């Protein structure tokens, strides 16, 4: 059993903290956000993530996980393996802001008597870990890069059942210690250099984003040709080289990772004078996606949205999360508001940001009351069970339904709404 310290308790850090505790390690989580730590000490997760709350409660009761706002706890831990999981937001110059990572590393160094291994789990651009290692060279520290591949909404499942564990380092002993932490997990292990580990992370997210941009373009093509996108993607998915996952067209990819990571990889390439037109094209294609949704609804409503009420179902960037970061639903809502529409939204778990002009509804039925159009923006399972008959009774006559995720049962909806559109269908 090793002592693990996790610095930064967002999605990645908290899932890793709880995951390592459930793998049998003693874990201490540190975060400078006092409210977050107070919530965690009370056993509460401050964001929606299925399974995380139950596992946190279990591990807290078993005494295998503790939380602290202060780095002082480090002085009492012998040879901890410290994971840096702090955010890497985009700075105003468009590049990665490493200040949270640097400040976390400096605090760790200052408070540790005998640091075991320092691991970077935050997503950092290629070359960063080697640069950090060189910046703190006088301490004789070898850093390890151990990128995380979990997705929001399935974070605990993904942490405990990863597709692979990637450990990059120049120090074999440090790699071995990190790998041993995962010995309870049966997954392929990739041991490589720092730059390779960092690149695996960016290239994986970027490849998925490229795939989705292409999927969305094919869906648009189907909308014009009369091909049915569901049949097309099913037919494609039977080729195991293409695979069946990440073939669902939607209103564009969003969230805290794909947009930021694709831009960062493109920036890195540009700085090195390497051309990546495929990646640049995927970013560009995605940036048009929410505009396409907005203009489609605008033209269906006769070109003028002023004073028209539009119901939006789902604000989160995808189902099973409350996260609104880079959410296509928020982009579309803002664009509709800017054109003078009244936007009323419902989401099963997300809540509106302060000062939002979007009206909040407690249910799908309330969101649709008096609406002229209904937009489904997030693929929450509960939306599949909505009754078109019930919603049509509260909506205006001849209203429009546009399912940007293909989650509604099209056959039922088409019989009730004469103007029903689903992504990838004419
Ligand atoms: C993504 C990666 O999938 C994880 O492997 C990675 O660890 C994580 O980023 C990260 O870097 O931390 P996440 O952002 O949680 O995970 O969400 P995804 O499930 O990948 O979805 C990203 C976007 O693609 C969402 O907007 C989603 O709606 C969209 N998407 C996904 C589709 O439109 N269609 C699909 O078939 C799949």
């Amino acid at each position: 059993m090793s002592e693990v310290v996790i610095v930064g308790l967002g999605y990645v850090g908290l899932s890793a903290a709880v995951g390592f505790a459930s793998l049998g390690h003693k874990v201490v989580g540190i975060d400078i956000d006092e409210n977050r730590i107070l919530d965690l000490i009370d056993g509460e997760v401050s964001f929606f993530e299925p399974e995380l709350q139950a596992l946190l409660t279990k591990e807290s009761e078993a005494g295998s996980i503790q939380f602290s706002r202060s780095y002082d706890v480090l002085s009492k831990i012998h040879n901890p393996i410290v994971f840096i999981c702090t955010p890497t937001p985009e700075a105003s110059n468009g590049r990665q802001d490493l200040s949270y990572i640097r400040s976390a590393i400096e605090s760790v160094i200052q408070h540790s008597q005998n640091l075991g291994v320092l691991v970077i789990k935050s997503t950092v651009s290629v070359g960063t870990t080697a640069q950090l290692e060189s910046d703190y060279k006088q301490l004789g520290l070898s850093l390890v890069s151990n990128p995380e591949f979990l997705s929001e909404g399935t974070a605990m499942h993904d942490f405990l059942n990863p597709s692979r564990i990637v450990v990059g380092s120049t120090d074999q002993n440090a790699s071995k210690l990190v790998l041993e932490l995962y010995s309870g997990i049966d997954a392929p292990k990739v041991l490589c250099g720092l730059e390779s580990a960092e690149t695996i992370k960016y290239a994986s997210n970027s490849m998925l984003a490229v795939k989705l941009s292409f999927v969305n373009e094919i869906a648009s093509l189907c909308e014009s040709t009369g091909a049915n996108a569901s049949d097309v993607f099913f037919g494609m998915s039977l080729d195991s080289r293409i695979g069946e996952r990440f073939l669902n067209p939607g209103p564009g990819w969003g969230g805290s990772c794909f947009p930021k990571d694709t831009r960062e990889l493109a920036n890195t390439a540009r700085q090195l004078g390497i051309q990546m037109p495929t990646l640049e094209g995927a970013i560009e294609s995605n940036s048009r996606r929410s505009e396409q949704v907005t203009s489609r609804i605008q033209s269906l409503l006769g070109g003028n949205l002023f004073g028209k009420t539009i119901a939006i179902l789902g604000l989160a960037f995808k189902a099973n999360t409350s996260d609104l970061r880079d959410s296509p639903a928020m982009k579309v809502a803002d664009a509709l508001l800017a054109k003078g529409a009244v936007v009323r939204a419902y989401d099963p778990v997300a809540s509106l940001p302060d000062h939002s002009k979007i009206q909040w509804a407690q249910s799908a039925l309330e969101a649709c009351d008096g609406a002229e159009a209904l937009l489904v923006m997030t693929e929450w399972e509960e939306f599949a069970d909505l009754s078109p008959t019930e919603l049509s009774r509260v909506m205006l006559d001849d209203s429009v339904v546009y399912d940007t995720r293909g989650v509604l049962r099209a056959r039922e909806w088409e019989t009730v709404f004469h103007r029903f559109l689903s992504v990838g269908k004419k």
Side-chain angles (χ1 to χ4, degrees):
M1 188 175 73
S2 310
E3 293 230 42
V4 175
V5 175
I6 306 284
V7 181
L9 298 168
Y11 278 100
V12 169
L14 187 58
S15 305
V18 173
F20 281 129
S22 55
L23 288 173
H25 305 295
K26 238 181 150 26
V27 178
V28 174
I30 301 175
D31 198 296
I32 52 169
D33 181 334
E34 188 154 11
N35 290 331
R36 180 171 290 181
I37 287 295
L38 290 175
D39 282 349
L40 289 169
I41 290 172
D42 281 347
E44 295 293 325
V45 180
S46 54
F47 49 86
F48 178 84
E49 179 57 49
E51 293 183 43
L52 185 54
Q53 181 66 62
L55 270 176
L56 171 68
T57 307
K58 185 170 166 237
E59 296 307 328
S60 301
E61 282 171 6
S64 44
I65 190 162
Q66 282 172 24
F67 298 102
S68 169
R69 197 207 161 279
S70 162
Y71 284 86
D72 288 343
V73 284
L74 280 166
S75 61
K76 296 178 211 129
I77 309 175
H78 191 65
N79 284 337
I81 301 182
V82 180
F83 286 80
I84 305 293
C85 302
T86 48
T88 47
E90 269 173 305
S92 50
N93 63 1
R95 294 312 309 264
Q96 203 165 54
D97 174 2
L98 293 175
S99 60
Y100 294 100
I101 292 203
R102 286 188 182 278
S103 137
I105 294 179
E106 278 153 29
S107 301
V108 167
I109 290 167
Q110 201 187 331
H111 290 85
S112 300
Q113 309 290 341
N114 40 25
L115 187 55
V117 183
L118 192 57
V119 189
I120 307 293
K121 203 175 241 316
S122 307
T123 301
V124 290
S125 62
V126 186
T128 303
T129 313
Q131 181 62 52
L132 291 169
E133 196 171 76
S134 138
D135 292 348
Y136 299 104
K137 196 163 56 198
Q138 74 280 13
L139 300 160
L141 268 183
S142 30
L143 266 60
V144 173
S145 166
N146 174 221
E148 185 51 63
F149 299 101
L150 59 80
S151 297
E152 290 181 25
T154 49
M156 285 324 303
H157 174 271
D158 295 349
F159 185 87
L160 295 168
N161 305 277
S163 48
R164 71 285 205 196
I165 293 162
V166 174
V167 176
S169 180
T170 47
D171 178 337
Q172 280 190 358
N173 283 333
S175 297
K176 196 166 152 265
L177 287 169
V178 174
L179 264 187
E180 275 168 11
L181 292 178
Y182 293 98
S183 58
I185 292 178
D186 180 21
K189 317 276 183 331
V190 181
L191 283 175
C192 55
L194 291 172
E195 292 79 5
S196 302
E198 292 163 337
T199 307
I200 290 170
K201 171 71 191 181
Y202 277 97
S204 300
N205 273 1
S206 298
M207 185 137 176
L208 291 169
V210 168
K211 182 176 185 183
L212 287 176
S213 283
F214 185 70
V215 160
N216 287 336
E217 288 174 9
I218 294 293
S220 292
L221 188 79
C222 292
E223 284 161 17
S224 292
T225 59
N228 180 328
S230 307
D231 294 340
V232 171
F233 293 124
F234 175 65
M236 289 168 68
S237 74
L238 297 173
D239 184 332
S240 61
R241 293 170 303 176
I242 294 173
E244 62 188 29
R245 299 187 64 194
F246 274 67
L247 281 183
N248 297 317
W253 37 270
S256 63
C257 307
F258 283 5
K260 177 171 74 72
D261 293 353
T262 46
R263 282 195 292 267
E264 183 58 29
L265 185 61
N267 276 333
T268 303
R270 242 178 273 129
Q271 264 200 344
L272 294 167
I274 311 285
Q275 299 200 337
M276 294 189 83
T278 308
L279 178 62
E280 302 268 8
I283 298 171
E284 163 69 17
S285 168
N286 193 56
S287 73
R288 293 189 201 151
R289 195 71 189 152
S290 51
E291 273 165 45
Q292 288 164 1
V293 174
T294 313
S295 25
R296 204 166 178 198
I297 208 81
Q298 182 169 3
S299 72
L300 285 162
L301 291 181
N304 184 4
L305 293 178
F306 194 82
K308 296 194 172 154
T309 301
I310 299 175
I312 290 192
L313 297 188
L315 284 182
F317 81 95
K318 63 172 189 175
N320 297 319
T321 180
S322 52
D323 201 342
L324 298 182
R325 283 176 290 177
D326 252 312
S327 168
M330 294 302 289
K331 284 188 196 145
V332 168
D334 287 342
L336 296 172
L337 285 167
K339 289 172 188 284
V342 175
V343 176
R344 200 175 313 123
Y346 164 70
D347 188 287
V349 299
S351 41
L352 278 182
D354 292 344
H355 313 301
S356 172
K357 294 204 175 97
I358 301 171
Q359 295 179 5
W360 190 242
Q362 299 294 340
S363 65
L365 195 66
E366 188 185 328
C368 290
D369 195 6
E372 245 168 284
L374 163 60
L375 266 174
V376 178
M377 293 296 297
T378 311
E379 72 283 21
W380 284 101
E381 246 177 63
E382 67 172 63
F383 298 159
D385 296 328
L386 288 170
S387 156
T389 313
E390 208 181 323
L391 294 184
S392 73
R393 284 197 199 113
V394 298
M395 292 180 73
L396 297 190
D397 289 343
D398 199 31
S399 47
V400 177
V401 177
Y402 182 12
D403 178 4
T404 71
R405 295 281 189 171
V407 71
L408 304 179
R409 292 197 194 96
R411 279 208 196 114
E412 275 175 47
W413 283 77
E414 273 160 2
T415 57
V416 178
F417 287 89
H418 129 84
R419 294 198 294 163
F420 173 79
L421 296 170
S422 186
V423 64
K425 286 167 197 138
K426 206 168 186 178

